[in-house]
Amino acid sequence: MSNSIQIDINADLGEGMGNDAQIMQLISSCNIACGGHSGNTKSILKTLKLAKKHGVKVGAHPSFPDRDNFGRELITMTKSELTQSIFEQIMIFQKCCEQAAISMHHVKLHGALYNYAAKDAPTADAVVDAILKTGVRLVLYVPPNSVLAEKAKNLLPIKYEAFIDRAYNNDLSLVSRKVKNAVIENEEKAFSQLVEMALKQNVVAIDGNHVSLKASTFCIHGDNKNVLGILNFIRNEAPKHGIAIV
């Protein structure tokens, strides 16, 4: 199709959900837990092997070091402590990539760290500092219009990310998981949101308003109860709308 648009679909993997092998066949990049909220060397290597088999780009998925809450709660750390924790998580991942003979493509933050770095300048600085400290020029997946995007854009290659299976507020923050319908599990609704974002550069916020949103990588969560149903639906329907997943 001459007017087709190319997008990346990413998923958070290596988190012990048991469905990585099925998801990996349906996405184009993945974010692999590297010890902060979940994961260890063994799980990283296993997930890298799957990614290599399916030609999927791989990225480190660091978080607050908080396995008890799966990285979904804000924890208090100094800026230097946070920089060091993120750096260590990325370096664990980098060493696994070297062992698996695969190149690390990107970094994508997890959970509370992702959300907080989007609005808090010292946290965003800690993230950027940690990536620069690795000495590897990595793409950083960032939310549009975020503090993190602003802090990173002149220092790192960035890729704007949006979510297929999460509801949005008017300020483009994600609706809290504690709110009903914050996670989208219906296949048609998730695909409709993807089409709106990919083709119209908009998202319909939870109150019905259309909000401008520009992104080129689109995330679905590996712990979504209907992740495989949504991804299969997207794979079937996307070409009909001129959307190519690469």
Side-chain angles (χ1 to χ4, degrees), residues 75-93:
I75 65 170
T76 304
M77 302 176 75
T78 67
K79 181 170 171 280
S80 61
E81 285 170 345
L82 182 57
T83 296
Q84 186 61 23
S85 176
I86 297 167
F87 170 73
E88 287 172 1
Q89 291 176 60
I90 296 171
M91 291 313 292
I92 287 167
F93 186 75

Side-chain angles (χ1 to χ4, degrees), residues 204-222:
V204 181
I206 201 158
D207 63 0
N209 279 330
H210 288 252
V211 184
S212 176
L213 182 155
K214 190 173 184 178
S216 60
T217 184
F218 299 89
C219 178
I220 186 163
H221 289 87

Side-chain angles (χ1 to χ4, degrees), residues 28-219:
S28 45
S29 73
C30 66
N31 324 300
I32 302 174
C34 43
H37 65 292
S38 184
N40 53 36
T41 300
K42 186 179 176 183
S43 63
I44 294 168
L45 287 168
K46 183 181 178 183
T47 315
L48 288 173
K49 188 178 177 183
L50 273 174
K52 196 171 180 181
K53 179 182 174 184
H54 294 286
V56 172
K57 297 182 289 290
V58 300
H61 193 39
S63 75
F64 285 123
D66 181 19
R67 297 174 83 95
D68 290 345
N69 297 300
F70 198 65
R72 288 198 168 139
E73 298 291 330
L74 183 62
I75 65 170
T76 304
M77 302 176 75
T78 67
K79 181 170 171 280
S80 61
E81 285 170 345
L82 182 57
T83 296
Q84 186 61 23
S85 176
I86 297 167
F87 170 73
E88 287 172 1
Q89 291 176 60
I90 296 171
M91 291 313 292
I92 287 167
F93 186 75
Q94 170 69 357
K95 283 174 185 164
C96 289
C97 286
E98 288 169 5
Q99 194 174 328
I102 189 169
S103 295
M104 175 166 38
H105 172 259
H106 66 275
V107 174
K108 186 263 180 81
L109 305 178
H110 169 82
L113 179 59
Y114 184 98
N115 295 329
Y116 201 57
K119 60 186 180 182
D120 181 71
T123 304
D125 283 333
V127 171
V128 173
D129 288 350
I131 298 170
L132 292 173
K133 191 177 174 183
T134 68
V136 185
R137 193 160 170 76
L138 301 165
V139 177
L140 178 62
Y141 288 7
V142 293
N145 305 331
S146 63
V147 171
L148 182 59
E150 193 62 30
K151 291 282 188 180
K153 69 181 183 183
N154 294 323
L155 297 167
L156 294 165
I158 60 173
K159 198 165 192 175
Y160 292 111
E161 177 182 46
F163 290 85
I164 296 167
D165 63 346
R166 291 296 309 277
Y168 278 88
N169 295 307
N170 273 312
D171 64 354
L172 293 184
S173 63
L174 300 177
V175 173
S176 167
R177 285 176 177 266
K178 295 169 185 171
V179 176
K180 190 182 176 186
N181 299 325
V183 178
I184 300 166
E185 295 174 357
N186 177 274
E187 295 155 18
E188 291 186 2
K189 189 174 179 185
F191 182 66
S192 174
Q193 176 152 303
L194 175 62
V195 169
E196 185 82 13
M197 295 187 297
L199 298 184
K200 301 178 186 175
Q201 298 184 353
N202 272 301
V203 68
V204 181
I206 201 158
D207 63 0
N209 279 330
H210 288 252
V211 184
S212 176
L213 182 155
K214 190 173 184 178
S216 60
T217 184
F218 299 89
C219 178

Side-chain angles (χ1 to χ4, degrees), residues 5 26 50 135 228:
I5 181 171
L26 301 167
L50 273 174
L228 294 174

Side-chain angles (χ1 to χ4, degrees), residues 191 195 232-243:
F191 182 66
V195 169
N232 277 302
F233 191 90
I234 289 170
R235 282 286 182 177
N236 287 332
E237 295 298 317
K240 301 174 191 175
H241 291 74
I243 298 172

